[in-house]
Amino acid sequence: MVGPVAIAPPHQGHGHGTTLMLAMLDRASAHEVADPLMLIGDPEYYARFGFTADATREWRVPGPVERHRLLARGVAVPDAAGIIGPRR
């Protein structure tokens, strides 16, 4: 799980969120963990980084979640029913 990214309101609109997301994606790629990535966030914002809810429709997660905000990116994202939670 990555994100969501939060920028204080006075600093929004200056590209800081994009900079943070691109740095995270570069770092994940460098550590060979760039696929799959999941987050809970605004689909309109995170779509620019390749995140969608297309593969997560059947997922179950602990706690309340707005289904359209459960996003993932990458070709290795499982698109079958299942549950996600902490690694053990």
Side-chain angles (χ1 to χ4, degrees), residues 7-26:
I7 305 297
H11 303 288
Q12 292 176 356
H14 301 287
H16 302 305
T18 296
T19 299
L20 288 171
M21 284 298 295
L22 293 175
M24 179 278 301
L25 292 171
D26 286 345

Side-chain angles (χ1 to χ4, degrees), residues 8-60:
H11 303 288
Q12 292 176 356
H14 301 287
H16 302 305
T18 296
T19 299
L20 288 171
M21 284 298 295
L22 293 175
M24 179 278 301
L25 292 171
D26 286 345
R27 186 65 151 273
S29 181
H31 290 284
E32 299 179 2
V33 293
D35 190 15
L37 296 173
M38 283 87 40
L39 61 79
I40 296 174
D42 180 48
E44 290 78 22
Y45 178 81
Y46 291 105
R48 71 179 85 177
F49 306 105
F51 287 88
T52 73
D54 295 344
T56 63
R57 295 190 199 319
E58 301 295 321
W59 293 14
R60 292 177 298 146

